[in-house]
Amino acid sequence: HFPVTTLLCLEDTHNMCGGRVLSKPYMSGVVALAREHGLKLHMDGARGWNAIAASGDDPRTRWQDFDSMSVCLSKGLGAPVGSVVLGSAEFMTRARRLRKGLGGGMRQAGVLAAAGVYALDNHLGQFTKDQVNAKRLAEGLAKVPGLKVDANAVETNIVMVGVDSSTPLGAAGILKALEARGVRGVALPDGRLRFVTHLGVDEADIDLVLQIVGELLANVGT
């Protein structure tokens, strides 16, 4: 009564690992394993642009062994909405049919598509800046008493922040206090905080966040 596995999916960069870039040996091993067992391969490339910026790889070849892939036009690129599915001509024909059969058709979608095209034409260079800003944020937060950050693990635009158990506010309290000051993040189930740099964040914003966090934790007696 268990389903038969037919598909293996990877994510590059990996969200819950802090935006880490999948190594080529790891991907090659997964591809070999999948082929050995007759599985199809899909790459969740929502942050694939970040992987390209960090690795310097050619996007035409980095994921060439995967049967299908999705990329996001809003994360990092700054389009208001949109993801794109990639695959063979046969795969795309079937995907379009299934999408429409499930009610996924949209009229006048060209208006949204135009925003995606603009983002691809103008914002790809932003990812290197995002990574510099994320590293700056991580290095700054690592110096704040009560927080635990491995700045060396920050490869792209995601910063994972641990909160020491001795910190009076705790992760949820810190996040609530930061949101009151205009700083947004995400509290993870394991007690860490997740911050992401993107098109709307510049170096001055990073410095302001570090100032706010430092003041906040200093005022609660960490």
Side-chain angles (χ1 to χ4, degrees):
H1 61 280
F2 293 105
V4 177
T5 300
T6 59
L7 178 68
L8 193 156
C9 301
L10 292 183
E11 183 185 37
D12 191 18
T13 63
H14 197 285
N15 178 15
M16 298 307 295
C17 287
R20 302 299 290 266
V21 180
L22 300 187
S23 71
K24 287 184 175 179
Y26 174 78
M27 287 195 291
S28 296
V30 171
V31 168
L33 178 67
R35 298 309 182 211
E36 179 184 348
H37 293 279
L39 304 179
K40 293 288 188 179
L41 284 156
H42 175 76
M43 172 55 70
D44 177 349
R47 286 170 297 276
W49 312 112
N50 298 95
I52 292 300
S55 67
D57 289 343
D58 188 330
R60 294 169 295 184
T61 58
R62 178 170 173 81
W63 306 287
Q64 64 183 356
D65 293 325
F66 289 78
D67 299 291
S68 61
M69 180 175 181
S70 59
V71 295
C72 186
L73 301 177
S74 55
K75 291 176 181 171
L77 279 175
V81 65
S83 291
V84 178
V85 176
L86 310 172
S88 67
E90 179 183 357
F91 173 87
M92 294 307 303
T93 296
R94 188 180 180 205
R96 292 189 182 98
R97 180 177 176 82
L98 288 173
R99 180 195 64 184
K100 193 161 187 177
L102 294 171
M106 181 184 294
R107 298 181 67 242
Q108 287 89 35
V111 176
L112 290 176
V117 171
Y118 180 89
L120 287 169
D121 287 343
N122 295 275
H123 294 168
L124 285 175
Q126 173 68 30
F127 291 101
T128 300
K129 298 178 183 178
D130 292 344
Q131 290 165 192
V132 170
N133 285 332
K135 183 71 76 171
R136 183 182 184 88
L137 177 63
E139 291 173 346
L141 292 177
K143 300 175 183 177
V144 178
L147 300 182
K148 296 177 286 187
V149 183
D150 182 2
N152 292 326
V154 177
E155 296 179 353
T156 54
N157 68 324
I158 296 178
V159 179
M160 296 294 199
V161 182
V163 179
D164 194 277
S165 58
S166 64
T167 304
L169 287 176
I174 291 175
L175 192 62
K176 183 177 181 180
L178 289 178
E179 288 180 345
R181 297 284 299 274
V183 180
R184 292 185 176 181
V186 174
L188 301 177
D190 62 5
R192 291 180 300 168
L193 299 175
R194 174 181 178 268
F195 297 100
V196 177
T197 57
H198 53 79
L199 185 66
V201 176
D202 59 22
E203 185 177 316
D205 293 321
I206 298 298
D207 291 341
L208 178 59
V209 168
L210 293 174
Q211 176 186 335
I212 292 172
V213 172
E215 292 174 351
L216 172 65
L217 294 184
N219 290 336
V220 296
T222 57

